[in-house]
Amino acid sequence: MKYVDSLKRYLGHSDKTSKILDLGDYYGATDSQVLFMLPKSYFPEGINPDEISVNPPDTSFIFNTTKREAPCEFKFKDLINTLNEVPKVQEYEECNECDGFGTTECHCCGSEIECRDCNGSGDGDPIPNQYTLDSKYALSIDESYFSPSNMDKIISFLIDLNIEPEETIKMTTSISLRPHIFEVKDVIMVSMPSNDEYIDMDLVVKIC
């Protein structure tokens, strides 16, 4: 049951991702940002068929990418420590006037204008005692860049599985903007890298 709950934390909202995925020798879950996969051996009693997607997304292309000759390896604790270098910023509710979009309709002519309530930020009132990782930052692993939020999900998933800080994470596939595969023991996680054209290199924290 524990492993089922671990996967359920990362389900998406679409018809394809709102339930657990049957991926051959693995069960998986994805929020469309990160794919988490656990061997079926973790589930000796299986999973209730009602909890498995009948129309899962095609993930075969992910594993058709040529693997690196030598995986990029780093300790789990290094990922944790590096993410801790990313500052946290205040979380806000969505602006009531523009629903968080930052623009609204002009009452005079109907054209789209910057929301006057939030000055185009999309932010409403600050949420007390709630902070999130600054999305302007990026984590550098080898020659690829990843959003702090995606790496934070991977850390939370591995902590939930009781993975030890000294355990090695292997990035086995990493070609340009193709999905990158991370392996820890028999656990697999897949994340898309960020496009470095939109990254401020002064706001990059490096793992390896």
Side-chain angles (χ1 to χ4, degrees):
M1 186 65 180
K2 170 187 175 181
Y3 297 122
V4 173
D5 291 340
S6 295
L7 290 176
K8 282 184 174 180
R9 291 188 180 95
Y10 302 97
L11 294 177
H13 301 290
S14 72
D15 291 340
K16 292 179 180 289
T17 63
S18 60
K19 293 186 177 183
I20 291 173
L21 312 177
D22 186 336
L23 303 172
D25 294 331
Y26 289 79
Y27 285 121
T30 183
D31 57 1
S32 299
Q33 299 296 320
V34 183
L35 170 64
F36 300 92
M37 299 172 60
L38 294 174
K40 287 186 175 177
S41 59
Y42 282 38
F43 309 85
E45 298 179 2
I47 294 180
N48 185 331
D50 292 338
E51 297 185 287
I52 297 177
S53 175
V54 296
N55 184 31
D58 180 16
T59 59
S60 60
F61 74 96
I62 295 172
F63 302 97
N64 291 333
T65 303
T66 304
K67 286 200 171 188
R68 299 166 58 106
E69 292 184 8
C72 174
E73 299 185 1
F74 51 93
K75 299 290 187 181
F76 180 31
K77 67 178 182 181
D78 295 334
L79 178 58
I80 296 173
N81 291 337
T82 303
L83 193 69
N84 285 337
E85 296 179 32
V86 176
K88 292 185 177 181
V89 294
Q90 176 73 55
E91 281 196 33
Y92 293 85
E93 295 178 354
E94 288 184 350
C95 172
N96 290 326
E97 178 65 24
C98 66
D99 296 325
F101 290 103
T103 57
T104 187
E105 185 178 290
C106 176
H107 299 300
C108 298
C109 65
S111 61
E112 188 177 90
I113 60 171
E114 183 180 274
C115 177
R116 294 175 179 173
D117 282 26
C118 66
N119 295 319
S121 70
D123 295 333
D125 294 329
I127 303 174
N129 302 316
Q130 277 196 232
Y131 298 87
T132 188
L133 292 165
D134 192 336
S135 61
K136 296 191 294 293
Y137 278 70
L139 271 73
S140 170
I141 304 177
D142 198 21
E143 296 180 354
S144 297
Y145 302 91
F146 299 89
S147 73
S149 62
N150 283 356
M151 292 297 104
D152 191 39
K153 293 173 190 175
I154 287 178
I155 288 174
S156 297
F157 185 67
L158 295 177
I159 289 175
D160 198 39
L161 298 179
N162 296 318
I163 298 298
E164 294 293 332
E166 292 293 336
E167 200 63 55
T168 297
I169 299 177
K170 298 179 180 180
M171 188 168 71
T172 60
T173 303
S174 55
I175 298 177
S176 187
L177 294 179
R178 299 277 291 178
H180 285 42
I181 298 174
F182 298 87
E183 297 178 3
V184 183
K185 295 183 174 180
D186 51 5
V187 177
I188 295 175
M189 298 146 295
V190 183
S191 177
M192 284 294 293
S194 302
N195 189 332
D196 59 12
E197 291 184 11
Y198 304 103
I199 290 174
D200 183 343
M201 292 302 169
D202 291 330
L203 301 178
V204 170
V205 291
K206 187 174 179 62
I207 298 176
C208 65

